[in-house]
Amino acid sequence: MSRSHFRSAWLSVGLWGKCVTIGLAFLWFFMFGGIIYGQHESPAVPSDWMTPAERTDYRETPRYAETIAFSERLAAASPWVRLVHFGESGEGRALPLLIVAKDGTFTPEAARKASKVVVLIQACIHAGESEGKDAGLALIRDIAITKTRAELIDRAVLLFIPIYNVDGHERFGPYNRINQNGPAEMGWRATSAGLNLNRDYIKADAPETRAWLRLWNEWQPDLFIDCHTTDGADFRYNITYQFERHENAPMSIRQWMREIFEGRVVPAVEAEGNLVSPYIVLHDETDPARGIDEFISTPRFATGYVPLTRNRPALLIETHMLKPYRSRVRGTYDVLRFMLAEVNRDPASLIKAVRAADEEAGSWGRSYDPQRRVALEVEPTEGSVPFLFKGVRYRRELSEISGAVRIIYESEPLDLEVPLRNQARVSVSVAPPLYYIVPPQWKSVIELLAAHGVMMRRIEEPLTVEVESYRFRDVKWAPSSFEGRVLLSFVADPIHERRTYPRGSVLVPVAQPAARLILHMLEPQAPDSLVRWGFFNAIFEQKEYGEDYVLENLARRMIAEDPKLKEEFEERVARDPKFAADARARLRFFYQRSPYWDAQLNLYPVGRILNPIAVRSIELKP
């Protein structure tokens, strides 16, 4: 209908008809759309202190320069706010950090001395997902300028990164997020070097990640929140969330998140007019009735890295991309507001949970117990609980475009009771050693451990010691690169042997709070280990070769001298047609069993030391 036709039709309706129409519209909003339009705005905001998003009625989100300018205004106007930079991006942009605190607690030392909880909130790691930026700026304004939320920093120090992926943020445009309903223009997912920062937390290839690690090591936050916009299915929730809730995360922080976030924050956020759900991953993306699968993180992700390696609770906020931008920003604001309120209400419970997680991890390296198993990875099972999914009506049909079944979402609400598959079992675990030892030539590994803040010691004399380690087989590289690296899979067979490590090798004691991080980086089977990310690729490359005519003669001598070897070879030829037809494989059979074969091929150079040792060493400063 054209605008003129709509105006004529509206004018032709009588007063009673207009009242009925308006009433039905409000009823629909409150029944089905109230979760979107029932949210409150910040109280008592002077017009000159509206955020850039608020000034445009949430049609736009500010660019980098405008964000920095607003942050500078906050810092200039309030003694509670400081704007600093914690590093530089690949293109040389400053990485901004707003520190919000009372009583001059603007340093980690001051915060600890005042027994204040430190909360780190991060926005725009995916720069097109900008709700966290606009919600955070409004919240800090309400804390420090209008002081309507001033109590939120009574017992806490707030660290806020308004834009983490600053280079991706400035790849600004209207076509960066095909699935997203506003703002009019937004940033890009990856950095200027093409890296997704939310896959970089262990390998730390990006300068932004290295800067973030320095920030984390300096402040050691007690709570971390990462703000995102989800892709995926259509449903009525405007806010979804995720946190680690299985055995691979410390029990104390799992319990704290269940009790404080799910028990107290979620009801408060919903009371503000939001509809909240655990993160939605459809078991079948074309049929919501088949249920929801829980998302389980690994340390490559921000909200996996923090709980799984640094012993801190981490919350992932995922607003729903199809909801209006206002609803998504205000929903994020409400989650941040009520989370900070709970931290201020009971900081002792968070400090207790964090301390317990640190103490548990730090205790592992004091003695070796082969029965002590630390979970490094869990995998989902078919176990589920009933879940009332608040979706929208949909239909399925065969697409003439793709040739596959497609789902068509409609606007009418639909409630479905579906299985939520939220059970998991441990798939990778390890008994922590007392130490790992890394030979000095693996400099990139040692430098990366230092970047993560791991405490290490460099030995000042050669060390001959019994170690556990691994020999790899069935090594396969992925067919294409992922985040600038080619990942590999393998089978790691444990071995025990006596090795001599040269002077300058690095001892990594497990008895430290970073024990989980050390295990995730140096145990090859861990989901984001440095072996999997390609830091040790050279150990899988054969460097010496035998010519066929030389190996022919060698094979004949070996058969003549060892009848059992001859029997083994003939049995292999008989049972393995592929081997029998491969001349190089047949010669390689003998080469591998000869003293000429490289004994270090596929051998993990890092050792696990299970017994106390005495060796002269010096501490390395992270």
Side-chain angles (χ1 to χ4, degrees):
M1 180 183 292
S2 70
R3 184 177 299 177
S4 60
H5 287 151
F6 178 84
R7 184 172 182 272
S8 297
W10 178 249
L11 291 173
S12 68
V13 176
L15 177 62
W16 175 247
K18 289 182 173 69
C19 291
V20 169
T21 302
I22 293 170
L24 289 173
F26 272 105
L27 179 63
W28 194 95
F29 282 154
F30 278 108
M31 290 180 63
F32 307 130
I35 59 170
I36 298 173
Y37 300 103
Q39 299 157 306
H40 300 116
E41 293 296 325
S42 294
V45 179
S47 59
D48 61 332
W49 273 110
M50 296 180 73
T51 66
E54 290 169 337
R55 285 201 306 270
T56 64
D57 197 25
Y58 297 95
R59 290 187 301 275
E60 298 177 9
T61 189
R63 297 288 294 266
Y64 174 82
E66 195 175 3
T67 302
I68 297 299
F70 191 86
S71 300
E72 289 172 339
R73 281 190 66 208
L74 289 168
S78 173
W80 295 352
V81 182
R82 285 188 185 174
L83 174 64
V84 299
H85 302 129
F86 67 95
E88 283 191 353
S89 69
E91 291 185 340
R93 291 184 178 89
L95 302 177
L97 176 73
L98 284 161
I99 306 173
V100 189
K102 293 179 180 177
D103 309 317
T105 51
F106 290 104
T107 66
E109 296 75 20
R112 283 191 286 270
K113 186 175 180 180
S115 299
K116 292 195 174 184
V117 171
V118 177
V119 180
L120 173 59
I121 299 172
Q122 174 175 281
C124 291
I125 187 173
H126 295 152
E129 304 169 21
S130 50
E131 294 90 332
K133 173 186 61 179
D134 293 321
L137 293 176
L139 185 61
I140 294 172
R141 182 265 326 276
D142 295 345
I143 292 170
I145 304 302
T146 68
K147 294 185 170 60
T148 53
R149 309 280 187 223
E151 74 283 356
L152 296 182
I153 58 168
D154 283 349
R155 305 168 79 180
V157 173
L158 171 59
L159 308 178
F160 178 56
I161 303 173
I163 307 172
Y164 180 29
N165 176 14
V166 292
D167 291 348
H169 190 277
E170 291 310 282
R171 184 176 165 180
F172 215 68
Y175 304 115
N176 287 346
R177 294 273 295 164
I178 190 172
N179 301 320
Q180 191 165 296
N181 176 20
E185 295 184 88
M186 71 288 289
W188 184 251
R189 185 178 184 84
T191 69
S192 56
L195 291 178
N196 182 341
L197 292 176
N198 205 28
R199 305 296 184 271
D200 198 46
Y201 276 83
I202 283 286
K203 64 186 179 71
D205 286 332
E208 294 89 344
T209 309
R210 297 289 178 121
W212 190 97
L213 292 175
R214 289 192 296 271
L215 173 67
W216 183 275
N217 294 334
E218 179 186 2
W219 277 91
Q220 296 289 322
D222 300 292
L223 172 65
F224 174 69
I225 304 174
D226 199 16
C227 304
H228 287 256
T229 315
T230 190
D231 294 315
D234 195 5
F235 42 71
R236 304 207 308 276
Y237 309 102
N238 65 317
I239 297 288
T240 67
Y241 66 87
Q242 187 267 346
F243 62 87
E244 295 305 309
R245 57 179 75 239
H246 297 293
E247 193 177 337
N248 54 335
M251 180 180 294
S252 61
I253 65 171
R254 286 183 273 145
Q255 291 175 336
W256 189 87
M257 286 295 288
R258 284 195 295 266
E259 293 170 10
I260 300 302
F261 178 72
E262 286 189 318
R264 299 182 66 91
V265 173
V266 168
V269 171
E270 290 202 311
E272 286 293 303
N274 302 282
L275 195 57
V276 184
S277 165
Y279 186 67
I280 303 292
V281 179
L282 294 185
H283 189 70
D284 177 346
E285 64 182 15
T286 69
D287 190 358
R290 296 195 61 193
I292 297 165
D293 294 343
E294 180 186 43
F295 177 77
I296 299 174
S297 193
T298 68
R300 70 183 59 176
F301 301 96
T303 50
Y305 176 82
V306 168
L308 301 181
T309 73
R310 305 310 289 258
N311 312 324
R312 301 295 188 270
L315 173 66
L316 171 67
I317 301 174
E318 291 271 4
T319 66
H320 188 229
M321 75 285 182
L322 296 179
K323 300 297 180 288
Y325 191 55
R326 175 198 298 270
S327 170
R328 287 156 31 211
V329 173
R330 296 308 304 177
T332 302
Y333 178 102
D334 290 336
V335 175
L336 300 180
R337 166 195 167 191
F338 286 110
M339 198 67 172
L340 283 170
E342 283 302 317
V343 166
N344 276 273
R345 181 189 65 83
D346 183 16
S349 67
L350 175 55
I351 292 171
K352 181 180 178 181
V354 165
R355 189 170 295 155
D358 277 347
E359 289 174 353
E360 178 195 24
S363 70
W364 293 334
R366 295 174 193 160
S367 63
Y368 175 68
D369 180 0
Q371 302 305 314
R372 181 194 294 130
R373 307 296 296 186
V374 175
L376 297 180
E377 186 172 24
V378 296
E379 61 185 10
T381 69
E382 285 300 310
S384 65
V385 295
F387 180 74
L388 183 62
F389 176 61
K390 298 180 180 181
V392 294
R393 290 202 178 276
Y394 65 95
R395 66 182 192 276
R396 303 165 75 234
E397 65 180 35
L398 188 66
S399 168
E400 72 279 11
I401 302 298
S402 67
V405 172
R406 73 174 183 134
I407 185 169
I408 301 100
Y409 289 106
E410 300 171 353
S411 58
E412 184 180 352
L414 174 67
D415 288 351
L416 290 171
E417 187 170 288
V418 302
L420 170 60
R421 296 171 182 85
N422 62 354
Q423 314 293 312
R425 59 171 169 256
V426 176
S427 55
V428 176
S429 65
V430 68
L434 301 188
Y435 304 91
Y436 291 90
I437 184 165
V438 184
Q441 62 269 29
W442 297 98
K443 288 184 173 23
S444 63
V445 171
I446 295 168
E447 290 170 357
L448 185 57
L449 288 165
H452 281 274
V454 172
M455 294 182 290
M456 298 176 284
R457 301 191 69 87
R458 190 179 300 279
I459 64 175
E460 295 186 291
E461 59 192 14
L463 175 65
T464 300
V465 63
E466 294 287 338
V467 297
E468 276 189 350
S469 191
Y470 301 94
R471 189 174 290 280
F472 301 101
R473 58 183 168 88
D474 300 335
V475 179
K476 298 181 179 66
W477 275 267
S480 60
S481 67
F482 174 75
E483 294 304 315
R485 291 178 174 269
V486 180
L487 278 71
L488 68 155
S489 62
F490 47 79
V491 176
D493 296 320
I495 62 169
H496 294 76
E497 62 184 19
R498 193 167 181 80
R499 292 184 186 172
T500 297
Y501 285 86
R503 178 181 181 273
S505 296
V506 169
L507 281 173
V508 184
V510 174
Q512 58 179 296
R516 291 179 183 274
L517 172 62
I518 294 165
L519 297 179
H520 271 284
M521 295 178 74
L522 295 181
E523 283 296 329
Q525 305 97 320
D528 283 318
S529 71
L530 301 191
V531 174
R532 292 196 187 278
W533 279 111
F535 283 82
F536 291 94
N537 275 356
I539 69 172
F540 304 111
E541 300 171 2
Q542 185 178 343
K543 302 302 181 182
E544 290 285 356
Y545 299 86
E547 299 295 343
D548 288 0
Y549 67 90
V550 175
L551 295 180
E552 286 275 4
N553 294 334
L554 175 67
R556 283 169 169 74
R557 287 199 306 272
M558 292 174 70
I559 285 176
E561 295 169 359
D562 188 348
K564 287 186 178 179
L565 181 64
K566 180 176 184 294
E567 182 181 341
E568 181 187 354
F569 173 70
E570 290 173 346
E571 188 273 334
R572 176 80 179 273
V573 170
R575 69 174 170 80
D576 188 344
K578 185 177 179 181
F579 173 79
D582 188 338
R584 290 293 300 170
R586 290 169 67 143
L587 292 173
R588 187 180 178 88
F589 174 92
F590 293 99
Y591 189 20
Q592 288 177 322
R593 289 158 177 78
S594 78
Y596 296 99
W597 184 252
D598 180 6
Q600 294 187 27
L601 184 67
N602 293 348
L603 182 68
Y604 191 38
V606 175
R608 291 164 39 92
I609 299 176
L610 310 183
N611 299 305
I613 57 171
V615 62
R616 288 191 300 114
S617 63
I618 58 172
E619 183 178 354
L620 295 181
K621 299 294 184 182

